[in-house]
Amino acid sequence: MENELNYLINTDSILPKEYYLSFDCSNLLNNTEFINGNSKTIIEILKQTKTIELHSQLSNIKSAKFIPILNIENLENELLNANINENALIANISINLDLEKLIFSFEKQLEIGTGILLIYFETKIIANDKRNGLLLRYYKVEQVVQEKENQITIDQNNNNNNNNNNNNNQQIPFLVTQFEPCDARRLFPCWDQPNIRCSVKFELIVPNGYQAICNTPQIGSSSQYSDLNALKFIFEKSVPFPSYLIAFAVAPLMFFERKVTLPIYEQSILQNDLKSIANRDINVRVCALPSSDYLHDPTVAEFALDVAQFALEFYTTKFQLDCSLKKLDLLSVPKLPSLGMENWGLNTFLEDFLLTFPTTHLSRTQRIACLLYTSPSPRDGL
């Protein structure tokens, strides 16, 4: 038991609150093994300390610094200028690979209050089918697929594609995460244990023609990034949840969408019960890689959308809980290490366990229904 506890991190001195994560995936088409990332974590210093301890399986931590927040009401500017803040304390970095821990030590005491922990690092892309982390997967392009701008724009004649393959056998790379039970530490340094819950906000840079999705809705539309052949996606901040539920994907996706209307409940003043006072809409999407099998056939996603809608409506009315999800994406993934994962706002499914066709066997359809029915559960979304 003592050895098991060594893997946990005590939060008596340091309590993380919010993760602001940025990843540059623009070189995905260049057969890269790593992507560059940085994290800005809002932490509360509860006791004076000279060390910050967190989980990590990353081998290349480039730099780390702690910036005290002098004005919490001006947090946006504090985050924007964190890298050039003159009050930053530079960290000495040590890694314990056996315990999968990262330790930052400082010459001066960190005073009680709120601060930003800024870390620059490289994340290794996992190509192994049976491991968790930031997963690299491929799908075969069967034909030239061109849709409206910023949706599906993968062209087999694009020079970015692998020229060693002929036009009918293109292998298109994409990224997706899988962290359960404790592999978020393979993506970025974090407090990777289920009793610690933080909100998360993503910024993702992706190749042109690719989409980015994560736990939360996108803010506005994607924008051209610098002079690179890339797009920047910025997403809303989430509610707090454990690190193993963090998720994102970078891929040329197509979407099948549906609006689901759910009731909003309020405690009755005169009676000790709840009543529905209004409704709110949630956007539910089935996200899939482009394929000639269903490029213009939305019926392949109808069953998944029907079950997801029924599950959301049932859980909301049965338990009379307001659904905290602003959207729910159901993503089909080739060679996922498991049948599915109920990430907050972005559920992933093995590709044969989401879409249905006229040839889909009844037993497979029932299995799909079971997976979908348990994915948007009260534990994670309500």
Side-chain angles (χ1 to χ4, degrees):
M1 178 64 71
E2 184 177 350
N3 290 335
E4 292 179 5
L5 293 177
N6 286 337
Y7 288 92
L8 300 179
I9 293 177
N10 192 308
T11 56
D12 289 345
S13 299
I14 306 289
L15 184 64
K17 307 296 289 186
E18 302 173 10
Y19 296 124
Y20 292 81
L21 304 177
S22 178
F23 293 95
D24 184 354
C25 310
S26 61
N27 59 350
L28 176 59
L29 297 171
N30 298 328
N31 298 317
T32 183
E33 295 183 5
F34 296 89
I35 64 169
N36 291 315
N38 69 78
S39 63
K40 299 173 183 176
T41 306
I42 307 300
I43 60 176
E44 289 186 6
I45 309 297
L46 305 177
K47 298 178 180 178
Q48 284 186 338
T49 182
K50 284 189 173 183
T51 61
I52 298 177
E53 186 179 70
L54 60 168
H55 293 111
S56 176
Q57 286 195 29
L58 306 181
S59 59
N60 188 4
I61 306 298
K62 297 179 178 179
S63 65
K65 60 177 70 174
F66 175 79
I67 302 99
I69 296 179
L70 303 178
N71 183 7
I72 193 66
E73 295 181 357
N74 197 27
L75 179 59
E76 186 174 345
N77 284 336
E78 296 274 7
L79 288 166
L80 185 64
N81 299 316
N83 192 44
I84 57 174
N85 193 300
E86 296 180 353
N87 298 317
L89 302 176
I90 307 300
N92 295 314
I93 302 169
S94 61
I95 301 174
N96 187 326
L97 294 178
D98 292 332
L99 294 178
E100 300 176 356
K101 287 184 178 180
L102 180 63
I103 301 171
F104 297 133
S105 56
F106 301 86
E107 293 183 0
K108 296 182 179 180
Q109 290 272 12
L110 305 183
E111 301 295 333
I112 295 174
T114 305
I116 301 171
L117 180 61
L118 172 61
I119 311 172
Y120 286 89
F121 52 86
E122 278 189 337
T123 297
K124 183 174 177 57
I125 298 173
I126 306 297
N128 189 316
D129 292 347
K130 297 181 180 179
R131 292 181 62 188
N132 291 345
L134 179 60
L135 307 180
L136 175 66
R137 295 293 181 264
Y138 294 88
Y139 83 100
K140 185 183 295 186
V141 177
E142 300 163 356
Q143 63 181 36
V144 176
V145 177
Q146 289 181 322
E147 288 292 307
K148 63 182 180 180
E149 182 180 0
N150 203 28
Q151 291 295 316
I152 304 167
T153 56
I154 293 298
D155 187 331
Q156 290 174 320
N157 295 318
N158 192 318
N159 291 329
N160 287 328
N161 290 338
N162 189 343
N163 292 323
N164 293 328
N165 298 323
N166 61 46
N167 282 349
N168 293 321
N169 195 32
Q170 291 286 349
Q171 295 290 325
I172 302 298
F174 67 95
L175 298 174
V176 65
T177 58
Q178 171 70 21
F179 295 145
E180 190 183 33
C182 55
D183 287 304
R185 63 191 72 183
R186 295 180 184 271
L187 178 70
F188 71 106
C190 60
W191 285 258
D192 199 12
Q193 53 196 56
N195 65 321
I196 299 178
R197 296 177 173 233
C198 300
S199 60
V200 61
K201 189 177 188 297
F202 271 106
E203 177 183 286
L204 298 172
I205 300 168
V206 308
N208 274 340
Y210 275 61
Q211 294 286 321
I213 57 175
C214 71
N215 300 101
T216 57
Q218 181 180 343
I219 298 175
S221 57
S222 58
S223 58
Q224 199 70 30
Y225 180 70
S226 186
D227 58 348
L228 299 176
N229 191 29
L231 297 172
K232 177 188 285 189
F233 290 78
I234 300 176
F235 298 88
E236 295 182 10
K237 186 171 70 174
S238 73
V239 300
F241 53 75
S243 55
Y244 75 93
L245 295 176
I246 293 174
F248 75 85
V250 173
L253 295 170
M254 56 190 302
F255 302 102
F256 306 93
E257 303 185 32
R258 178 181 297 182
K259 293 287 185 183
V260 176
T261 301
L262 299 176
I264 298 175
Y265 289 95
E266 183 182 72
Q267 184 75 39
S268 173
I269 298 176
L270 301 178
Q271 300 176 0
N272 188 24
D273 61 0
L274 295 168
K275 64 177 182 179
S276 176
I277 59 170
N279 294 318
R280 62 185 293 257
D281 290 333
I282 292 178
N283 192 36
V284 180
R285 301 188 300 183
V286 171
C287 314
L289 297 162
S291 171
S292 59
D293 292 339
Y294 46 79
L295 183 58
H296 298 292
D297 183 12
T299 61
V300 298
E302 285 299 310
F303 182 74
L305 292 171
D306 287 343
V307 177
Q309 178 177 351
F310 180 83
L312 286 168
E313 292 172 346
F314 172 80
Y315 287 131
T316 303
T317 55
K318 177 67 175 179
F319 298 101
Q320 295 187 336
L321 294 171
D322 292 338
C323 180
S324 58
L325 291 171
K326 292 188 176 181
K327 61 90 178 175
L328 177 61
D329 287 337
L330 310 172
L331 175 63
S332 170
V333 183
K335 297 183 179 180
L336 197 66
S338 62
L339 289 182
M341 178 59 202
E342 66 282 8
N343 304 303
W344 196 91
L346 173 53
N347 298 167
T348 55
F349 299 84
L350 193 61
E351 59 181 345
D352 295 331
F353 288 85
L354 184 61
L355 304 179
T356 55
F357 302 87
T359 56
T360 302
H361 194 275
L362 176 59
S363 61
R364 175 61 60 86
T365 304
Q366 292 171 333
R367 189 69 181 274
I368 292 172
C370 290
L371 287 172
L372 284 164
Y373 195 67
T374 56
S375 58
S377 66
R379 182 191 68 180
D380 300 319
L382 297 172

